[in-house]
Amino acid sequence: MTVLAITNNSNAGIASSFSPISVAATRSRMVGPDILRSLAILLVMLVHLPLNATPGIFVNVREYGWLGVDIFFVLSGYLIATQLFKEATRTDTVDFKSFYLRRAFRIFPAFFVVLGLYILVPVLRDNPAMQPVWKFATFTVNLGFDPRDGNAFSQAWTLAVEEQFYLVLPLLVLLLYKRIGTVWVLGLAGTLTLAGILLRYAIWDMQVGTLVEAGEFRAAFATYLRGVYYPTYTRLDGLLFGAVLAAARFFKPELCRQYLPPKVTIPLGLVFLITALLCFMDRGPLAGQGIFPVFQAQLGAVLGFPLISVGIALLFCAMLDLEHVIGRWPVPGVTLVATLSYSLYLTHKSVFHVMRLIVGEGNLQGNFGFVVYLIASLAVAAVLWFFVERTFLHLRDRLLSSSR
């Protein structure tokens, strides 16, 4: 996922929605986005944490840890779209070469280092079987992804979604910039959202639903993941609403201040988020062994993702407006976790697996296991960030500055 260093300087450079670090712009960091970024990666890690090492207070939260991915999507859509809007406004065009070069230096080095380790050192794999290497290397692993055929390094599916989205976003910005107004933007966003809803409904109805009716719940769940949860064309909601939020705040700040102040966005965002979570109370057809759970699982698959994305976008909007308040009470550890978030995302599943091999799963129980997993994950992520991420960010900044 992408990475942007949000700072109080409106001209600060952009890197991406994962790790907030930009070597050239680390001065006045904004606390709100760092909080969301840290929350997102911790939720993702919680999903993959062994249940016997999950503290009791987090057991129920763990069921919704997948929300971290949707938070990342909204953040990423907002941050990358803001970068493109700034450039288009300043230069009346989009520098495709610079854009893709920045993304390559940001995403590829750490990703391919971890992928290489998965390939060359099989003992590091969190699952014995992997999807074909070429699908990881081309960022298409999320298409036709059946976890029954190999689940190692499965978190890479979200990177595939983003990289595919950002292949076309700069072109869309260039084509639509100054050509469509607010009504057209909202209409386009609404059309894409409706198309996603109808597509997910059709996939469920034709593929997942038939397996549920036949009582083949395990196959139905795998089909749900392959057809609804992983593909880019069914998971554009978070990136889309992040980009729409960026357009609203960048091009229509007065309207945002008037119609979307925190006193509106906070309660409205919570309503959307709670409604989505109610839809997802029985997420996936494995739980659908009665009429209502099946219907509820379908409701979540069809409507849940846009509801979640709108809710997160509204709450993120409020956090941006309240930065002057949030910034007075920085949360300890947030900056560290946010900075390491991309490396944590890439490595945490393998770290959990290796720690079980070294220490023994029976010795990693309860709060002790939780602390060991967390410390080991942070340590490995810090090594990857320092030796790979940081090194290539420095190199990127030097190359781009010398080409100006």
Side-chain angles (χ1 to χ4, degrees):
M1 292 192 176
T2 41
V3 189
L4 166 63
I6 304 186
T7 73
N8 291 324
N9 176 0
S10 61
N11 295 319
I14 296 185
S16 110
S17 85
F18 252 126
S19 170
I21 198 73
S22 172
V23 172
T26 58
R27 294 181 295 278
S28 44
R29 300 170 65 94
M30 293 182 69
V31 177
D34 269 2
I35 290 175
L36 272 186
R37 189 178 290 105
S38 299
L39 175 63
I41 186 57
L42 291 175
L43 284 172
V44 170
M45 291 173 66
L46 188 62
V47 168
H48 300 136
L49 186 70
L51 184 60
N52 54 19
T54 303
I57 59 173
F58 295 139
V59 169
N60 290 330
V61 177
R62 186 177 184 270
E63 297 300 316
Y64 295 95
W66 49 270
L67 268 172
V69 168
D70 298 273
I71 295 173
F72 273 131
F73 281 160
V74 173
L75 278 170
S76 185
Y78 175 85
L79 302 175
I80 297 301
T82 299
Q83 172 195 11
L84 292 168
F85 295 152
K86 286 180 180 180
E87 183 180 1
T89 301
R90 187 177 66 253
T91 65
D92 244 9
T93 188
V94 172
D95 187 339
F96 290 90
K97 178 181 177 181
S98 176
F99 177 80
Y100 292 122
L101 186 64
R102 292 183 68 86
R103 287 203 57 76
F105 271 91
R106 183 66 198 90
I107 299 301
F108 291 177
F111 173 78
F112 282 106
V113 165
V114 175
L115 178 60
L117 289 173
Y118 265 82
I119 296 168
L120 298 174
V121 191
V123 72
L124 298 178
R125 296 179 186 177
D126 51 277
N127 190 283
M130 283 180 64
Q131 299 293 316
V133 173
W134 68 266
K135 299 189 75 172
F136 288 99
T138 57
F139 293 94
T140 55
V141 71
N142 67 313
L143 303 177
F145 184 3
D146 190 330
R148 293 172 297 182
D149 298 331
N151 203 32
F153 203 25
S154 61
Q155 67 268 37
W157 75 268
T158 62
L159 286 173
V161 170
E162 289 201 8
E163 294 308 287
Q164 293 166 37
F165 179 73
Y166 294 128
L167 278 177
V168 299
L169 183 62
L171 180 61
L172 288 176
V173 170
L174 186 62
L175 292 176
L176 301 179
Y177 174 64
K178 288 187 176 179
R179 290 181 174 85
I180 63 174
T182 304
V183 174
W184 279 99
V185 169
L186 294 176
L188 178 61
T191 300
L192 291 174
T193 302
L194 180 60
I197 290 172
L198 294 176
L199 180 59
R200 288 189 294 270
Y201 176 81
I203 293 171
W204 181 287
D205 190 55
M206 292 186 292
Q207 299 180 24
V208 182
T210 56
L211 292 171
V212 172
E213 291 173 2
E216 299 179 23
F217 300 111
R218 189 166 297 279
F221 187 64
T223 303
Y224 161 77
L225 292 175
R226 184 181 68 244
V228 176
Y229 191 74
Y230 291 136
T232 304
Y233 46 80
T234 55
R235 296 304 308 273
L236 289 174
D237 303 278
L239 293 161
L240 174 64
F241 285 111
V244 169
L245 175 63
R249 293 184 65 89
F250 189 82
F251 293 110
K252 299 292 181 180
E254 301 85 2
L255 290 179
C256 279
R257 283 192 291 269
Q258 182 177 357
Y259 295 107
L260 294 175
K263 65 181 180 181
V264 172
T265 52
I266 291 176
L268 194 59
L270 290 174
V271 167
F272 273 100
L273 201 57
I274 292 170
T275 302
L277 293 179
L278 290 174
C279 291
F280 277 112
M281 283 184 69
D282 279 301
R283 190 173 71 96
L286 272 178
Q289 301 186 32
I291 295 176
F292 181 70
V294 171
F295 169 76
Q296 193 169 36
Q298 182 181 15
L299 191 65
V302 173
L303 296 177
F305 298 118
L307 291 174
I308 286 172
S309 301
V310 173
I312 294 170
L314 289 169
L315 293 175
F316 182 37
C317 183
M319 294 182 78
L320 291 172
D321 287 332
L322 295 173
E323 176 63 26
H324 63 288
V325 177
I326 299 173
R328 297 174 188 169
W329 297 286
V331 181
V334 161
T335 299
L336 173 65
V337 174
T339 300
L340 298 179
S341 58
Y342 183 44
S343 288
L344 281 168
Y345 190 81
L346 293 173
T347 60
H348 72 278
K349 287 184 69 178
S350 180
V351 170
F352 291 170
H353 167 67
V354 171
M355 290 308 298
R356 288 197 294 272
L357 293 179
I358 295 174
V359 182
E361 188 168 7
N363 297 318
L364 294 171
Q365 305 282 333
N367 292 335
F368 173 76
F370 175 76
V371 171
V372 171
Y373 283 126
L374 184 60
I375 292 176
S377 299
L378 289 170
V380 171
V383 171
L384 182 64
W385 177 84
F386 185 83
F387 288 103
V388 180
E389 283 195 71
R390 182 174 177 269
T391 298
F392 280 89
L393 287 175
H394 276 299
L395 178 60
R396 179 201 65 186
D397 289 346
R398 287 200 300 269
L399 287 174
L400 291 178
S401 62
S402 64
S403 63
R404 290 171 184 167

